[in-house]
């Protein structure tokens, strides 16, 4: 299944938020065995960018456009290479491994049953695990081969089951800073029965939804940040309930969102806060 995505320019992010997220991602980047000393996420070929609220974003160098793209939404749909990537991510995220690297850090405990979204293009794969505690995600190149490399990030949910409206992006990847082959994944509330990416040029791409998670993939070179593409949510009756810029950082959303106690938990202060919505697992 194909869909689209791209990340916000780093210069548009609050500097402190960008630096903090970069540090968290690089702290978690975990090298495979010594046979592959280079880290795909940490070195020159991959530029780490950040969006607010702990979402991870990765740019990798362009794969062959003729390669097949795959999207899986549960463990039973994994291809052999995605299975290898998922298992490697679980190893890197294991409490035993992380405690040896940093006794003060505790990764979010995840298992294969927590797999929410997995994508692959060529020999690169990306996996996202989510549960009640938080999420863990990894980017893996050459999974299951002698040149395997990669890294990832893990973080508890900052506000538990509450989302900034119907949709929360978690992971953005792109082969270019402003377009190209792109993927996006995240979680949605129970109100969302259909989610599409509006390219703003007459084209749309439908996301796949499964148990409160969503995934999109595309190879559309026409998709650019300058065209202001948007994620659009619809309810069970087909009515549009939310529309938000794809590349906009979470703390720059048009509306802020409040928890059950009325306290703002997402977005910048505005006079038009809306209630946060529960994750629709």
């Amino acid at each position: 299944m194909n869909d689209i995505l791209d990340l916000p320019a780093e210069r548009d992010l609050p500097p402190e938020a960008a630096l903090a997220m970069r540090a968290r991602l690089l702290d978690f980047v975990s090298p495979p065995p010594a046979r592959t000393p280079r880290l795909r996420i940490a070195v020159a070929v991959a530029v780490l960018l950040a969006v607010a609220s702990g979402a991870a974003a990765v740019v990798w160098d362009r794969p062959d456009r003729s390669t097949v793209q795959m999207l899986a939404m549960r463990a039973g749909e994994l291809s052999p290479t995605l299975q290898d990537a998922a298992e490697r991510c679980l190893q890197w995220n294991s409490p035993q491994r992380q405690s040896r690297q940093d006794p003060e850090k505790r990764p979010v405990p995840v298992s294969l049953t927590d797999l929410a979204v997995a994508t692959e293009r060529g020999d690169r794969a990306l996996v996202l695990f989510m549960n009640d505690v938080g999420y863990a995600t990894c980017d893996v190149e050459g999974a299951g081969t002698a040149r395997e490399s990669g890294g990832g990030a893990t973080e508890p949910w900052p506000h538990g089951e509450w989302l900034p409206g119907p949709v929360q992006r978690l992971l953005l990847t792109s082969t270019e800073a402003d377009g190209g082959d792109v993927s996006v994944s995240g979680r949605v509330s129970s109100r969302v029965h259909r989610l599409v990416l509006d390219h703003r040029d007459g084209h749309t791409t439908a996301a796949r939804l499964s148990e409160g998670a969503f995934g999109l993939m595309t190879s559309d070179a026409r998709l650019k940040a300058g065209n202001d593409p948007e994620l659009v949510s619809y309810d069970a009756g087909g009515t549009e309930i939310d529309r938000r810029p794809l590349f906009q950082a979470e703390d720059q959303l048009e509306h802020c969102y409040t928890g059950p106690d009325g306290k703002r938990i997402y977005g910048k202060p505005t006079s038009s806060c809306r209630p946060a919505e529960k994750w629709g697992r």
Side-chain angles (χ1 to χ4, degrees):
M1 177 165 187
N2 291 340
D3 267 297
I4 90 170
L5 148 72
D6 193 344
L7 37 157
E10 189 173 21
R11 64 178 179 272
D12 294 334
L13 300 175
E16 293 183 0
L19 289 174
M21 177 51 58
R22 181 185 294 275
R24 285 198 294 273
L25 287 169
L26 292 178
D27 281 347
F28 183 76
V29 169
S30 305
R35 67 190 180 197
T36 53
R38 60 196 178 91
L39 299 181
R40 197 65 184 181
I41 285 187
V43 277
V45 293
V47 180
L48 292 177
L49 301 179
V51 291
S53 82
V58 181
V59 178
W60 57 53
D61 54 341
R62 180 187 297 277
D64 184 348
R65 285 191 178 275
S66 65
T67 59
V68 175
Q69 301 183 39
M70 296 187 65
L71 174 65
M73 302 296 289
R74 55 178 62 88
E77 299 178 352
L78 295 176
S79 68
T81 52
L82 281 177
Q83 179 79 30
D84 286 341
E87 292 176 352
R88 184 62 67 212
C89 187
L90 291 175
Q91 292 176 12
W92 292 345
N93 192 62
S94 68
Q96 296 82 2
R97 181 181 178 88
Q98 290 304 313
S99 62
R100 292 196 302 269
Q101 294 183 346
D102 187 349
E104 300 301 318
K105 287 178 68 74
R106 291 293 181 267
V108 172
V110 294
S111 68
L112 196 58
T113 59
D114 296 318
L115 181 75
V117 180
T119 67
E120 67 176 328
R121 295 187 187 90
D123 63 352
R124 292 189 179 90
L126 186 148
V127 293
L128 172 65
F129 298 90
M130 298 191 297
N131 59 28
D132 291 337
V133 179
Y135 74 90
T137 184
C138 295
D139 175 272
V140 186
E141 181 184 7
T145 69
R147 60 183 186 82
E148 183 180 89
S149 62
T154 181
E155 189 171 38
W157 301 124
H159 305 295
E161 63 183 346
W162 297 104
L163 314 182
V167 178
Q168 183 176 40
R169 300 171 311 171
L170 291 174
L171 188 64
L172 306 173
T173 70
S174 175
T175 55
E176 298 178 5
D178 63 347
D181 296 342
V182 291
S183 300
V184 58
S185 59
R187 53 182 187 162
V188 296
S189 76
S190 59
R191 286 207 300 156
V192 179
H193 284 250
R194 183 169 177 255
L195 178 67
V196 302
L197 183 63
D198 184 351
H199 300 210
R200 301 295 299 276
D201 63 358
H203 297 81
T204 61
T205 305
R208 185 174 175 189
L209 303 175
S210 177
E211 300 179 354
F214 75 88
L216 293 147
M217 297 181 69
T218 193
S219 294
D220 187 352
R222 297 169 300 180
L223 185 74
K224 301 291 183 183
N227 293 337
D228 299 322
E230 297 175 312
L231 283 174
V232 187
S233 307
Y234 299 88
D235 65 15
T239 301
E240 180 180 312
I241 58 175
D242 185 76
R243 179 180 289 266
R244 62 186 61 190
L246 178 66
F247 304 121
Q248 190 172 61
E250 195 168 84
D251 64 351
Q252 297 300 311
L253 294 174
E254 178 183 1
H255 301 281
C256 59
Y257 296 88
T258 58
D261 60 358
K263 181 180 179 180
R264 179 175 57 87
I265 57 177
Y266 289 108
K268 56 187 177 181
T270 70
S271 59
S272 58
C273 280
R274 296 179 175 182
E277 298 189 24
K278 281 189 176 181
W279 182 13
R281 298 187 67 187

